Amino acid sequence: MAKILVVDDEADLEILVKQKFRKKIRENIYEFVFAQNGEEALERVQEHADIDIVLSDINMPVMDGLTLLSRLPDANPMLKAVVVSAYGDMQSIRSAMNRGAFDFVCKPVDFDDLDLTMQKTIEHVKQLQQTIKAIKENNILKMYVDENVLNFMTHKEFENSLLKNEVLSGTVMFLDVCGFTKITEQVPANTVVELLNSLFDRIVKEIIAQGGHVDKFMGDAVMAVYRGDYHLDRAIDTALAVKAQMSSIQPIVIGDKTFEANISVGINSGEMVSGNIGSASLKRLDYTVIGDSVNLAQRLQSVAKAGQIVITESVYEQVKESFKFEMLGEVSLKNKANQYTIYNVLE
């Protein structure tokens, strides 16, 4: 249904419009709202946010149609107006169009022509509404979906390659906010969410600054992936930057609890599989990376203590000349047969 605001001071016009369009009114194609001048029209626009188009005369008391045209964008920028007036001279038409009129119909009204003009205007407005809706949905989507996924979605072969994947060399970082679980038991949920989001905002900015992307949030942890040149160095730089950020935050007192921001990090580099994991038939997919190197990064984070950035000896050998380390010794990792010598990145 299209909702149409008719603005005219002729008393019998409302009856005439309802007669001429009675069939479309019955079929719920058109719904009409009426006003006798521009001031009333603005009130109707405020009362009916779903008005699609305006049919307005020019010569009216209180507020004329040309003034109304100049005021409509402030009231509702999506509205389009068609001027219906006996002033059909070129000057009047130009004045109306310059003030934003979408079209102009001369009186006496040919209602068949008016109907076609209304349809054209309504179609234009609906297209605008769909465009705005798509932009809003896209902006919302960007808040939930990583840029890499959006780039993949715009790929020409997207529909035919949903479950295809690629093998790549990259670095995975698992970063956990330490001590957060303890305060969640005694602190209101809203406070917990606000605090965690403020910390995540700092963390994500550092990830983006180093060219990484957030694969997912997992409770109070973040999984980030780095590809391209110096992906391992950039991941370690991120962890060091986030660690510095956390140390600059003053202890946060919540009730009788004190929370000191800190992180534990596991980083690993190697071959992994990137692609959509899930069920296409259920329309539930997760664009992520998987593989043993990814699992190892998560295991390293699980043994890291607060303030530690833990890597394996093989990763240490790749970057030992670029950073300062301390050896932590050998550890057994969950579901791993061999022991690993691990290092903590200091600076």
Side-chain angles (χ1 to χ4, degrees), residues 177-192:
V177 178
C178 299
F180 204 80
T181 305
K182 292 181 180 178
I183 68 168
T184 60
E185 298 174 357
Q186 300 181 21
V187 175
N190 287 341
T191 304
V192 170

Side-chain angles (χ1 to χ4, degrees), residues 85-98:
S85 174
Y87 295 94
D89 59 282
M90 184 55 67
Q91 184 178 351
S92 297
I93 294 173
R94 290 295 300 164
S95 295
M97 302 304 282
N98 287 336

Side-chain angles (χ1 to χ4, degrees), residues 67-81:
T67 304
L68 172 62
L69 285 174
S70 64
R71 298 277 297 277
L72 280 178
D74 292 331
N76 184 343
M78 294 297 296
L79 282 179
K80 293 299 176 184

Side-chain angles (χ1 to χ4, degrees), residues 15-251:
I15 297 172
L16 186 59
V17 167
K18 289 180 177 178
Q19 287 177 347
K20 294 293 184 180
F21 294 107
R22 61 184 181 278
K23 184 178 179 182
K24 290 192 174 183
I25 293 173
R26 287 199 306 267
E27 294 173 350
N28 291 325
I29 296 174
Y30 291 158
E31 179 183 350
F32 289 94
V33 178
F34 296 90
Q36 294 188 344
N37 56 64
E39 189 173 286
E40 283 189 17
L42 293 175
E43 293 174 0
R44 299 293 179 270
V45 169
Q46 293 298 318
E47 294 167 2
H48 302 269
D50 55 345
I51 290 174
D52 295 300
I53 68 170
V54 177
L55 306 180
S56 177
D57 193 7
I58 291 180
N59 188 20
M60 296 178 292
V62 186
M63 182 188 291
D64 62 69
L66 295 178
T67 304
L68 172 62
L69 285 174
S70 64
R71 298 277 297 277
L72 280 178
D74 292 331
N76 184 343
M78 294 297 296
L79 282 179
K80 293 299 176 184
V82 175
V83 173
V84 183
S85 174
Y87 295 94
D89 59 282
M90 184 55 67
Q91 184 178 351
S92 297
I93 294 173
R94 290 295 300 164
S95 295
M97 302 304 282
N98 287 336
R99 285 169 172 77
F102 184 78
D103 211 332
F104 199 105
V105 174
C106 294
K107 291 182 178 180
V109 177
D110 180 336
F111 279 90
D112 290 333
D113 177 63
L114 177 61
D115 193 15
L116 289 174
T117 302
M118 288 163 55
Q119 291 177 36
K120 179 183 69 174
T121 311
I122 290 165
E123 182 179 355
H124 178 78
V125 169
K126 296 298 184 185
Q127 289 174 349
L128 281 177
Q129 291 171 347
Q130 288 297 320
T131 300
I132 295 299
K133 180 183 177 185
I135 291 171
K136 288 180 178 179
E137 289 175 347
N138 188 53
N139 289 336
I140 293 171
L141 183 64
K142 286 179 179 178
M143 296 176 67
Y144 286 89
V145 182
D146 184 78
E147 183 180 356
N148 289 275
V149 183
L150 294 177
N151 291 339
F152 175 76
M153 289 168 63
T154 59
H155 192 273
K156 184 176 169 182
E157 303 296 329
F158 170 63
E159 290 292 343
N160 297 324
S161 60
L162 278 177
L163 296 181
K164 288 184 180 179
N165 53 61
E166 62 173 325
V167 178
L168 59 91
S169 178
T171 297
V172 178
M173 177 180 72
F174 283 85
L175 186 154
D176 184 75
V177 178
C178 299
F180 204 80
T181 305
K182 292 181 180 178
I183 68 168
T184 60
E185 298 174 357
Q186 300 181 21
V187 175
N190 287 341
T191 304
V192 170
V193 171
E194 288 175 5
L195 175 57
L196 188 58
N197 283 342
S198 68
L199 296 176
F200 276 160
D201 192 49
R202 290 172 177 253
I203 293 168
V204 170
K205 285 178 180 177
E206 297 296 344
I207 294 171
I208 294 173
Q210 291 296 336
H213 78 266
V214 175
D215 186 280
K216 60 175 67 70
F217 294 98
M218 303 165 292
D220 54 5
V222 183
M223 173 184 170
V225 181
Y226 298 78
R227 309 181 187 191
D229 295 337
Y230 302 104
H231 52 78
L232 177 54
D233 294 63
R234 290 187 283 112
I236 295 174
D237 282 336
T238 300
L240 289 170
V242 173
K243 182 179 175 181
Q245 283 266 3
M246 296 299 109
S247 64
S248 69
I249 300 174
Q250 295 296 317

